[in-house]
Amino acid sequence: NFKTAMSSPENMAAGKDAIGFFGRIHPKLESELKLRNPVYWCEINIEPVISLTPMQNRQFKAWSAFPTMERDFALLVKDAVSAENLIQSALKHGKPIAKVVKIFDTYKGAHIAEGMISIGVRVIFSDEAKSLEEKQVDQCAETIVKKWQEEFNATLR
């Protein structure tokens, strides 16, 4: 039984229902198997998780058949600026083609002024109905950057 080979299994729950467990394989078993790194394992029963969301609220949206385009931005903002606010601003002002916004890097230190932070932001653009044109993405990216400048006094690095 694999559960008995775990060093400290933790139970997982969805609402009141147990949905599984996870934990690290016992170090003794790792040693016996000559594993170089710790190994973790989990078992999940997805049915209780699915039952938490009413069927009428579930929506499936197929991936676009058209390719995405990405733009990366290195922004310099006050360190009090919320990454979530930057993301929501880009999604709001990048409609309808800005679909995903991610923070991929943050940096404070040498060459960054005190009280400031450099944030790397990736915006993924797509259109479900057609292939995007470079000009369209560039215009949308410009709009997003202008809004970041207006709302957060951001500057591009």
Side-chain angles (χ1 to χ4, degrees), residues 27-107:
K28 183 178 177 184
L29 181 58
E30 289 174 347
S31 178
E32 289 172 15
L33 295 172
K34 297 180 179 157
L35 301 173
R36 288 190 243 172
N37 296 307
V39 175
Y40 294 84
W41 187 79
C42 77
E43 181 178 302
I44 298 174
N45 177 3
I46 198 72
E47 289 303 320
V49 177
I50 292 171
S51 69
L52 291 176
T53 305
M55 188 59 93
Q56 65 270 19
N57 292 340
R58 295 183 202 162
Q59 296 179 353
F60 171 77
K61 189 172 182 182
W63 291 97
S64 174
F66 302 99
T68 61
M69 293 179 119
E70 297 180 5
R71 295 290 186 275
D72 289 347
F73 305 93
L75 300 175
L76 190 61
V77 295
K78 289 183 180 177
D79 60 9
V81 172
S82 159
E84 182 62 25
N85 289 344
L86 289 169
I87 291 169
Q88 292 307 316
S89 175
L91 290 170
K92 176 182 174 184
H93 300 295
K95 284 182 180 177
I97 63 170
K99 303 293 186 189
V100 178
V101 181
K102 301 178 187 180
I103 304 299
F104 67 87
D105 185 39
T106 59
Y107 176 74

